[in-house]
Amino acid sequence: MDELVALCKRRGFIFQSNEIYGGLQGLYDYGPLGIELKNNLKQSWWASMVYDRDDVEGFDASILTHPDVLKFSGHEDTFTDPLVDCKSCGLRFRADQIPDQCKGEELTEPRDFNLMFKTNVGPVDDGSTFAYLRPETAQQIFINFKNVLDSTSKNLPFGIAQIGKAFRNEITPRNFIFRVREFEQMELEFFVTPGTDEEWHKKWVDNRLQWWIEQGIDSNNITLLNVTGDDLSHYSKSTVDLMYQFPHGIEELEGIANRTDFDLGSHSKNQDDLNIDATTIKNSSSNAKLAVQDLNTNQLTVPYVIEPSAGVDRGVLAILNEAFNIEKLEDGKERLVLSFKPHLAPIKAAVIPLKKNNDELVSTAISLKTKLQKMRLGRVVVENTGNIGKNYRKHDEIGTPLCITIDFDTLEKGSVTIRNRDTMAQETIDIENVPSYFRDFFQT
Ligand code: GAP
């Protein structure tokens, strides 16, 4: 983990947030390469969830959330972690995460600590008009169920996908970007006919496992955990967690829950007319019936929900961990390489003029970069430092799949050298063929 954190800072992937004022615990900022990696991961999720399917629509809701949403969702009552105080050092911890130095000390009895952040809304700050910063993106999807259904005329089964920030006042944020207070989630709420939920749950577990493997996660590093007992969330009939071998241990990367009809039932008006299976809080505040109506029989059904919910930041950490390799080379030296899958690489190609002060070499490099950049396959950069060896090392370290060298043969014969990050093999091709080479490389 330490090597990964150091690389992330040195190369501009991830920084401690608010660092120049001492930092704020549990918050991180994404630098120039981190944001590219994160965006690529989110785009890959969005493409597989929304564009590749015809039964899912996209969505993006506000972060500030009406207190009633989180009252009827059960978060006000149950979204808590057990908090203890160490009477010796005066610090507070999650009861299941007490550091070794405090274990023998006198600790208070655990008490419930709600993880939701509140903020004041509007100009009067007397506590009467507050909103929560959403602790999961899911709730806004549930409360917009009718809006999306009415505007898209979907039939069951169908899903609503969202990527966005979530906030949790974690008692002990830790392990770099693994457990933080502000993070992003990629969540799908997939609405199904009751009775088909278990079959869909299995399908989504398989789908999500396969997707992570396609992002470069070694299948040997993921195990499936059937969540049981007290670990099962209040809304869930069954949950399967994808547990990943993070640098600090095996922990949850994504959870796939069968949320039954709990959420739509909880946020509905006229609950007594709806035959809801889950135990919900009585709701007299909602103005919508969150159900689908059979046009022939007029019968109302509250769909069950299957929810694959993944953390973007945990995804980024897992992808970095998988990609991080220190290779022994034939000459006895080592090279550090981030072997990202090409679609996730922050920079797709570096175009390197052999000499930095040669106008012809530099302008040829810039015009090739511009051509490749316009193909919209990802970021392409010109490296104008005139040191090919150093540039190869840098681009290995940041995971750039291709380095393209512009040399005097380019000016005389129109050829360029393309170096492959993983094999380090170099091939010479005609500069005219670089766009099609580039497209084939990144579209497969
Ligand atoms: N809507 C369901 C839900 O929020 P969760 O298991 O609490 O379920 C889903 O969160 C995912 O969000 C987790 O699998 C994890 O990847 C990510 N996540 C949760 N808390 C996090 C935190 N404090 N820091 C970073 N990621 C977190």
Side-chain angles (χ1 to χ4, degrees), residues 85-264:
D85 293 83
C86 170
K87 290 186 185 163
S88 167
C89 69
L91 294 176
R92 292 180 159 178
F93 307 105
R94 223 172 97 164
D96 56 346
Q97 293 172 358
I98 296 164
D100 287 342
Q101 67 268 26
C102 292
K103 274 192 179 139
E105 303 296 335
E106 207 187 330
L107 299 165
T108 58
E109 280 303 306
R111 57 193 186 282
D112 286 341
F113 173 74
N114 196 296
L115 301 184
M116 290 195 292
F117 284 100
K118 272 181 185 176
T119 190
N120 188 60
V121 176
V124 182
D125 188 5
D126 63 0
S128 64
T129 48
F130 72 94
Y132 289 110
L133 273 65
R134 63 187 182 197
E136 60 172 9
T137 66
Q139 292 306 321
Q140 297 282 0
I141 295 182
F142 300 132
I143 62 169
N144 276 281
F145 175 76
K146 203 167 152 22
N147 283 335
V148 177
L149 188 69
D150 291 351
S151 57
T152 60
S153 312
K154 287 281 181 209
N155 294 313
L156 295 180
F158 80 96
I160 304 177
Q162 179 171 215
I163 300 176
K165 290 262 180 170
F167 300 81
R168 297 182 188 179
N169 197 3
E170 297 284 354
I171 298 170
T172 38
R174 56 189 189 163
N175 295 320
F176 194 32
I177 52 172
F178 176 80
R179 186 176 304 287
V180 282
R181 291 186 167 132
E182 174 176 342
F183 55 100
E184 277 187 274
Q185 292 185 315
M186 307 183 281
E187 296 200 301
L188 171 71
E189 308 306 323
F190 197 74
F191 303 98
V192 304
T193 307
T196 65
D197 49 306
E198 290 182 9
E199 185 192 330
W200 274 108
H201 192 204
K202 284 199 192 81
K203 278 190 197 168
W204 275 112
V205 172
D206 293 346
N207 176 302
R208 296 304 303 145
L209 181 60
Q210 189 52 38
W211 184 81
W212 281 110
I213 292 168
E214 285 161 16
Q215 309 318 302
I217 303 288
D218 184 337
S219 58
N220 294 316
N221 289 339
I222 298 197
T223 45
L224 302 187
L225 174 79
N226 273 303
V227 181
T228 52
D230 283 351
D231 288 337
L232 207 55
S233 301
H234 63 279
Y235 49 72
S236 177
K237 170 176 162 185
S238 65
T239 294
V240 175
D241 282 348
L242 303 187
M243 304 294 285
Y244 175 69
Q245 176 69 61
F246 284 98
H248 61 277
I250 298 177
E251 296 226 45
E252 179 188 337
L253 171 64
E254 168 162 355
I256 300 110
N258 181 345
R259 296 182 74 129
T260 70
D261 56 2
F262 175 81
D263 301 280
L264 293 182

